[in-house]
Amino acid sequence: MKKSEQGKTLIAAKAAGLVAWAAVMVFAGVAFRQHRAWKEPVVLGPGVTAVRSLHEWFAPLKGTENDCNVYVLDSGLPGSTILVLGGTHPEEPATNLAAELLVENAKPTSGKLLVAIHTNRSASTVTRPGEAYPQFYSIKTAWGQKKYRMGDRSANPLDSWPDPETYVHYPSGQMLAYMDIRNINRTWPGRPNGLLCERTSYGFMQMIRKEKVDLVIDYHEAELEYPVIGTIVAHQKAQEVAAMVSMDLSASQFRIGMEVSPRTLHGLTHREIGDFSDATALLFESPEPFLDRVRGATNEALLLTGVDEFVQRAGKAGLLYWPIDEKGWPIEVRVGRHIATTSKVFEVWNLLYPEKPIAVDGLPGYGDLAAKGVGAYFADPASVAKDRVAFE
Ligand SMILES: [Zn+2]
């Protein structure tokens, strides 16, 4: 081959490579954009009296990805104010689904509920492509499939960048992993001039103080290889509530543990909200085999059924902190645990603080939810007036 011909072949090969690269970029870019822009409809249930935005308590959040909806369910009668946080970690879908179930079904008859479905909304606009997470998942309902964004543990780097070399938590000064500056369960109580998650936590703290919140409940899920699982983590101000709920539920419905929040581990809801406000705080963990390192195919089926033969094998080898069998940990059981634990917390709360009650109608029991599925509790957005639908 002549030299000039060789040159032409090389240029042609490079051009073909460039076209292929551009095609992959366009394909991926469109997929990322569709995911980030997907809006999840939420039907406002009979208890919802207002839908507010987080920026109403901290104006600089306006226009950011983390200016999330705050659903107000006010009985109009005196009692306690309870804030429920879903989607602190949007790779834990039982958390936003349980919060949404509250919004669509709960009807307080004393006291007030505040609910955030996506506490770290930015983290719900990105998945973990390096770990082959699906972009979406769907919940079956009587009126069709309801489609949701699968998220990540930390905020989208498009919204919070760059990460520091070392993340120094404010105000404790504790040094944490650099990416935890985008993990909202490491940025409480936050600060007004920090990065996105620090500002978001600060906004929620402003709300907690202004609205005189008495109790914050933060929903989570965990891998079975992780020791903090199937449990309630309690700030010391709430340990009596958590202990009674754990004993009652474990004797009557399902096993759930209880532990007290470590005093020197900073940035977490169950530590900082209790320390920096008059509210107390509880965190619930349900089991999510999808997050286990030893899992097999990382797909929507695993996300929703929690069935995985490799995680089961790890269980047989004694490597897990939580049991699993061929039934796995289906989403309706995981959401059911959160909803039943929430109902039990209200019951115990009223025993301990009868002068500040919280009473809520409309929530399904654990058995009903596990039998009928989560979708049975989501209404068709097309069946209600437009002003009774919000978007996440
Ligand atoms: Zn979590």
Side-chain angles (χ1 to χ4, degrees):
M1 204 185 280
K2 281 184 197 162
K3 252 196 176 161
S4 62
E5 272 177 36
Q6 262 181 351
K8 275 182 195 162
T9 313
L10 190 62
I11 288 169
K14 281 183 174 173
L18 189 66
V19 169
W21 176 80
V24 168
M25 282 302 182
V26 169
F27 179 76
V30 168
F32 290 151
R33 179 71 209 158
Q34 280 172 344
H35 176 256
R36 188 166 161 85
W38 180 256
K39 297 264 181 282
E40 301 166 357
V42 177
V43 173
L44 306 182
V48 177
T49 47
V51 182
R52 301 181 67 181
S53 301
L54 190 56
H55 81 257
E56 293 176 45
W57 292 275
F58 181 50
L61 285 173
K62 191 166 187 175
T64 68
E65 281 294 319
N66 273 8
D67 190 11
C68 66
N69 289 339
V70 177
Y71 300 87
V72 181
L73 292 81
D74 189 354
S75 69
L77 294 168
S80 284
T81 298
I82 315 273
L83 168 63
V84 178
L85 302 175
T88 284
H89 293 145
E91 63 173 356
E92 299 162 10
T95 72
N96 55 289
L97 292 173
E100 185 180 328
L101 193 148
L102 290 179
V103 171
E104 294 215 8
N105 297 273
K107 189 163 186 346
T109 53
S110 61
K112 193 201 285 188
L113 277 183
L114 303 170
V115 183
I117 293 176
H118 285 109
T119 300
N120 189 359
R121 200 185 163 282
S122 166
S124 77
T125 68
V126 63
T127 65
R128 219 177 284 180
E131 293 205 26
Y133 278 19
Q135 283 193 300
F136 298 98
Y137 58 93
S138 292
I139 297 293
K140 208 169 96 188
T141 73
W143 45 268
Q145 298 278 342
K146 197 167 182 190
K147 183 173 159 185
Y148 294 84
R149 298 186 301 274
M150 175 57 177
D152 196 1
R153 184 174 171 80
S154 302
N156 195 329
L158 288 176
D159 305 318
S160 180
W161 188 87
D163 295 338
E165 280 289 312
T166 304
Y167 163 35
V168 182
H169 172 261
Y170 178 85
S172 72
Q174 189 164 66
M175 286 197 268
L176 300 171
Y178 69 95
M179 66 286 194
D180 272 339
I181 195 131
R182 286 182 287 116
N183 171 0
I184 203 167
N185 205 26
R186 295 295 181 278
T187 59
W188 297 85
R191 54 178 157 180
N193 53 352
L195 285 182
L196 182 66
C197 286
E198 295 178 291
R199 283 183 279 141
T200 308
S201 305
Y202 181 82
F204 274 107
M205 287 304 295
Q206 293 292 90
M207 178 211 292
I208 289 165
R209 294 184 191 109
K210 280 219 181 95
E211 301 302 318
K212 299 189 168 43
V213 170
D214 297 285
L215 167 69
V216 178
I217 296 174
D218 182 19
Y219 291 154
H220 284 260
E221 300 204 85
E223 56 271 50
L224 285 63
E225 293 163 273
Y226 186 63
V228 184
I229 187 168
T231 195
I232 306 169
V233 187
H235 188 271
Q236 65 271 13
K237 291 192 282 189
Q239 57 182 329
E240 216 178 338
V241 178
M244 284 172 74
V245 169
S246 160
M247 281 190 289
D248 188 324
L249 284 179
S250 299
S252 63
Q253 299 192 50
F254 49 82
R255 184 183 136 206
I256 187 163
M258 180 260 169
E259 44 206 277
V260 179
S261 168
R263 283 181 195 255
T264 52
L265 183 55
H266 287 287
L268 295 105
T269 48
H270 51 74
R271 169 55 34 217
E272 312 296 357
I273 292 172
D275 284 359
F276 286 89
S277 77
D278 292 335
T280 187
L282 297 169
L283 181 151
F284 303 170
E285 289 281 6
S286 72
E288 186 188 355
F290 180 94
L291 295 178
D292 275 285
R293 310 303 307 173
V294 297
R295 66 181 183 258
T298 307
N299 52 25
E300 184 184 2
L302 173 56
L303 187 67
L304 296 178
T305 64
V307 174
D308 186 281
E309 62 167 299
F310 298 99
V311 180
Q312 277 178 55
R313 257 196 249 175
K316 282 188 188 134
L319 299 171
L320 305 179
Y321 290 91
W322 197 252
I324 185 168
D325 58 21
E326 64 287 344
K327 287 189 282 216
W329 284 101
I331 192 75
E332 54 271 19
V333 171
R334 287 141 56 193
V335 172
R337 288 177 65 96
H338 281 342
I339 296 297
T341 308
T342 305
S343 296
K344 189 58 74 179
V345 164
F346 294 165
E347 202 183 307
V348 168
W349 185 267
N350 292 341
L351 287 176
L352 295 173
Y353 310 106
E355 72 287 358
K356 279 201 109 183
I358 175 75
V360 177
D361 285 346
L363 294 184
Y366 176 66
D368 271 349
L369 221 166
K372 292 182 191 164
V374 182
Y377 299 92
F378 292 153
D380 182 357
S383 73
V384 298
K386 276 206 176 98
D387 65 354
R388 294 305 286 173
V389 181
F391 291 92
E392 284 291 317

